[in-house]
Amino acid sequence: MKAITVRPPGAGARVEDVEIEERGMKVRIIENGICGTDREIVKGLMSAATVPENYDFLVLGHEALGILEDDTDNLKRGTIVMPINRRGCNKCINCLNGRADFCETGDFVEAGIKGMHGFMREYIYDDPNYLVPVPPQIRDIAIMAQPLSDLEKSIAEMIDVQGRLHWRCMDATYGCRKMLVTGTGTIGILISMLLKTYGFDVSIANRREPTDVETRIFEEVGLKFVNTSVHRGDEKYDGVIEASGSDASVIEYAIRRLKNNGFLGLFGFTQSGTLSLSTVDLQSLVYRSISITGLINGQKPHFEMAMNHLVQWKTQYPFTTSHFITRSVNISDQKSVLNVLENRIPGEIKTKILW
C-alpha cells in the first residue's frame, strides 16, 4: 500500500509502497491532519521519533479519519472513525486502565511518532477499542478532534490540580477566573475556545497584531487579544496556558503574569532558548503556591468529548469552524504533499492530506 514514510533521526519524507503486518478491523484512511510534530519529525528535529521494531522506516501521521470496512460489536461497516494515536505499555496501572497519557514506564507507543506506524497510508488494521466514531454533522472538521482531545485532557487536568483550593466562583462557575493563552496558532485557538466553553474569562496573546481572520475568530468566540510586544502590562491571571511553541523566555513572561495559587500549563515544546530563574524567583513560586504542569495527550474519553464540542461549536461559532481547515492537498500531488509536510502555510489552522 502507499504510505508517507520517514526514517528518524534522519530528515526527509517520501511517498512509497510499504508492507506492514497488523491485526484488527480494516479502516480505509480518507484524510490526515498535519501538525507541528509531523513537521519536526520530517525535519529530523524530534528526538523521540523511533521506528517500530523490525522495521527500518516509520509511517508518519497521528491525525486521521477513516472508513471502517468491517462490522464490530459496536460499530457498523461504513462508519467514519478516528483512531486514537497513543497506546499503552500494558504494564503500569494507568495504561492497564486506559490512561496511556499517564504511562509510568515510558514504554508507550505513539502512532507516527514513537515505535508505532502512523496513519498516513491507504489503510490500517486496528483494535476497535481504539476507534472513535465521528458524528456525521462534523465530517468536514472532525480531524480537529485529535488535537482537541489533548486539550480536553489538559483542561480536566488543570481543574483537577486547581481542586487543591476553592477555585470555582461564588456562583459555582469559572466566570471570575481569568485565563491567558500564549500563542494564536491551532492549539492556542482551540484551547481558548474550550476555556471559553467552560466559562472562563479568556485572553489570547501573541507578539504581533492579529490577522483579519484571527480578529473575527476572537470576536466571535469572545476572546480578548493582547499584543505582548507593545503591551507587557501588569495584569495578573489565575492561569496561563503556554501554547506558542516559542522560545523559553515566554515561560518567564507567563510566570510573572500569575496570581497567587496560579496554574501554568505547558503544552507542546519550546523551540529555542533557556529559562533562568533566580533564587528569588524560585522562592516566589513556592511562597505564592504556583503550580506548573506539563500537558500532553488525551485518551478515548477526551476524543469523545472533543467530538461533542465540535458539534456544539459548528452551530455556536460558524465563522470560526468554517476556517478550521486552511488547505487540503491530495496524495496524488506528491510535490504539494511533501511541501506542506515541511512548511507551515501563512495563517494555517489545519492542513489536510486527502487519500
Side-chain angles (χ1 to χ4, degrees):
M1 65 176 160
K2 186 179 295 184
I4 300 173
T5 62
V6 291
R7 286 164 173 76
R14 65 182 74 172
V15 180
E16 61 181 334
D17 289 324
V18 300
E19 291 186 7
I20 297 173
E21 293 185 9
E22 287 179 326
R23 295 181 179 179
M25 301 298 175
K26 186 176 182 179
V27 177
R28 178 170 57 85
I29 299 299
I30 54 177
E31 67 182 53
N32 298 110
I34 300 172
C35 86
T37 299
D38 299 316
R39 290 178 173 136
E40 288 181 0
I41 294 171
V42 171
K43 293 177 182 178
L45 301 177
M46 176 62 72
S47 59
T50 54
V51 301
E53 187 176 358
N54 299 323
Y55 291 88
D56 63 358
F57 65 89
L58 171 70
V59 176
L60 193 64
H62 58 278
E63 300 178 5
L65 296 183
I67 297 176
L68 186 63
E69 297 202 338
D70 297 302
D71 288 323
T72 74
D73 291 340
N74 299 312
L75 298 172
K76 292 183 177 180
R77 180 180 179 181
T79 301
I80 298 177
V81 294
M82 172 171 279
I84 296 170
N85 51 298
R86 181 180 288 197
R87 313 296 169 91
C89 67
N90 294 319
K91 302 172 187 175
C92 74
I93 191 169
N94 287 306
C95 288
L96 291 170
N97 283 278
R99 293 306 301 267
D101 50 321
F102 288 126
C103 179
E104 295 183 38
T105 66
D107 293 333
F108 64 86
V109 296
E110 195 151 16
I113 301 174
K114 177 178 180 284
M116 174 182 168
H117 285 306
F119 307 135
M120 288 186 180
R121 45 182 159 138
E122 292 181 279
Y123 55 85
I124 63 173
Y125 290 90
D126 210 348
D127 183 331
N129 288 324
Y130 292 114
L131 301 176
V132 181
V134 173
Q137 59 266 51
I138 59 166
R139 162 67 183 83
D140 56 334
I141 60 170
I143 199 68
M144 305 299 290
Q146 193 286 319
L148 184 56
S149 72
D150 295 344
L151 306 176
E152 299 278 4
K153 179 266 183 82
S154 297
I155 299 300
E157 192 171 0
M158 177 184 71
I159 290 172
D160 283 347
V161 170
Q162 292 304 88
R164 62 198 173 118
L165 64 144
H166 296 290
W167 215 47
R168 284 187 179 269
C169 311
M170 295 298 290
D171 61 358
T173 72
Y174 294 112
C176 66
R177 296 299 182 184
K178 297 174 67 174
M179 296 292 302
L180 175 67
V181 175
T182 54
T184 58
T186 308
I187 298 302
I189 289 173
L190 287 177
I191 201 163
S192 296
M193 294 177 70
L194 199 54
L195 287 165
K196 195 69 179 177
T197 299
Y198 272 78
F200 289 93
D201 181 344
V202 186
S203 297
I204 188 168
N206 207 325
R207 293 171 174 170
R208 57 166 174 79
E209 286 299 307
T211 65
D212 291 342
V213 170
E214 287 172 340
T215 297
R216 288 195 60 183
I217 288 174
F218 302 158
E219 289 175 349
E220 183 177 63
V221 178
L223 307 175
K224 303 168 188 175
F225 179 76
V226 180
N227 184 334
T228 59
S229 68
V230 297
H231 181 71
R232 303 294 286 182
D234 297 321
E235 189 155 11
K236 301 292 185 179
Y237 299 88
D238 298 285
V240 178
I241 305 294
E242 157 44 21
S244 70
S246 184
D247 61 88
S249 65
V250 73
I251 299 175
E252 181 181 356
Y253 171 84
I255 290 173
R256 299 190 188 286
R257 298 278 76 77
L258 286 169
K259 296 179 181 178
N260 290 350
N261 306 313
F263 175 91
L264 172 58
L266 305 178
F267 191 95
F269 307 101
T270 56
Q271 298 299 308
S272 61
T274 57
L275 176 66
S276 297
L277 297 176
S278 68
T279 300
V280 174
D281 292 329
L282 294 172
Q283 289 174 351
S284 176
L285 290 175
V286 174
Y287 193 70
R288 296 193 297 128
S289 191
I290 300 299
S291 174
I292 302 177
T293 303
L295 305 172
I296 193 168
N297 193 255
Q299 287 295 294
K300 194 169 187 178
H302 309 112
F303 277 77
E304 294 172 341
M305 292 166 65
M307 297 289 181
N308 289 334
H309 277 128
L310 288 174
V311 171
Q312 173 187 338
W313 292 347
K314 194 165 186 183
T315 298
Q316 187 176 7
Y317 305 126
F319 177 83
T320 301
T321 54
S322 71
H323 283 76
F324 275 167
I325 308 305
T326 313
R327 182 183 179 189
S328 298
V329 296
N330 195 285
I331 189 64
S332 61
D333 184 356
Q334 294 189 20
K335 182 178 180 180
S336 294
V337 167
L338 296 178
N339 181 55
V340 296
L341 282 171
E342 289 197 23
N343 303 296
R344 185 177 187 272
I345 63 176
E348 179 182 84
I349 296 180
K350 181 61 64 180
T351 293
K352 298 196 296 189
I353 298 172
L354 307 179
W355 291 79

